Amino acid sequence: MFADDIEILAHAVVETAASRGLTIATAESCTGGLVSGALTAIAGSSAVVERGFVTYSNAAKVDLLGVPMELIERHGAVSEPVARAMAQGVLARSPARISVAVTGIAGPGGGSVDKPVGLVHFAAAGPAGLIHLERRFGDIGREAVRADSVRVALELLLDRIGA
């Protein structure tokens, strides 16, 4: 179902989190649950995957994660502040110890000069703190942006787990 490298990363996340007794939750917009899907494709993931939020709309980000609407209005849904708020909102609304959030523009439409297709913001939070990454994958196609976003999100989870 997923590319081999994604399966390898997901397996590493599940194995490492399980060995440290950590649970994970996700907040996904442009990936639409693919990060959770990659994790739950791994046998034994039920020991570490606590829940996943698919917050595709701005209303979902506000209602489910507590992202302030003013933050979305000021910076846009695809922004560092919103990604950070999503990652923090996951931890506030679940017993998980590690979170990852993804918000971006997968295309083919929806981009602008300031926020082009392929722009994705990531945030991950946990005991080691909160980090943010911005990636500009370019207009490489919707599925490629989403797949590359899953890879980055899994790598961020490994970073927060301390692998």
Side-chain angles (χ1 to χ4, degrees):
M1 177 176 205
F2 292 95
D4 289 346
D5 64 321
I6 290 175
E7 286 185 25
I8 290 167
L9 279 168
H11 189 273
V13 169
V14 169
E15 188 175 88
T16 307
S19 73
R20 299 195 176 148
L22 296 171
T23 53
I24 297 167
T26 64
E28 303 182 62
S29 187
C30 67
T31 50
L34 290 174
V35 176
S36 291
L39 291 169
T40 59
I42 305 303
S45 61
S46 61
V48 300
V49 178
E50 207 288 321
R51 67 184 70 181
F53 296 87
V54 175
T55 54
Y56 207 71
S57 70
N58 291 344
K61 290 173 182 66
V62 172
D63 295 344
L64 298 176
L65 301 175
V67 175
M69 182 55 82
E70 307 80 51
L71 202 63
I72 295 171
E73 290 169 350
R74 188 176 324 122
H75 301 281
V78 180
S79 65
E80 178 177 348
V82 170
R84 287 176 176 274
M86 289 170 66
Q88 291 169 319
V90 168
L91 293 183
R93 287 162 176 75
S94 77
R97 303 259 334 272
I98 306 285
S99 71
V100 69
V102 184
T103 182
I105 305 166
S112 67
V113 173
D114 292 336
K115 295 185 180 187
V117 170
L119 172 65
V120 183
H121 285 272
F122 304 86
L130 177 67
I131 58 172
H132 165 265
L133 284 177
E134 176 186 308
R135 291 289 184 264
R136 292 178 181 256
F137 298 113
D139 193 357
I140 59 175
R142 184 175 184 80
E143 291 311 308
V145 169
R146 288 163 42 105
D148 285 349
S149 295
V150 171
R151 288 178 182 93
V152 171
L154 293 172
E155 290 167 355
L156 278 178
L157 284 171
L158 280 173
D159 177 84
R160 292 298 85 184
I161 292 167

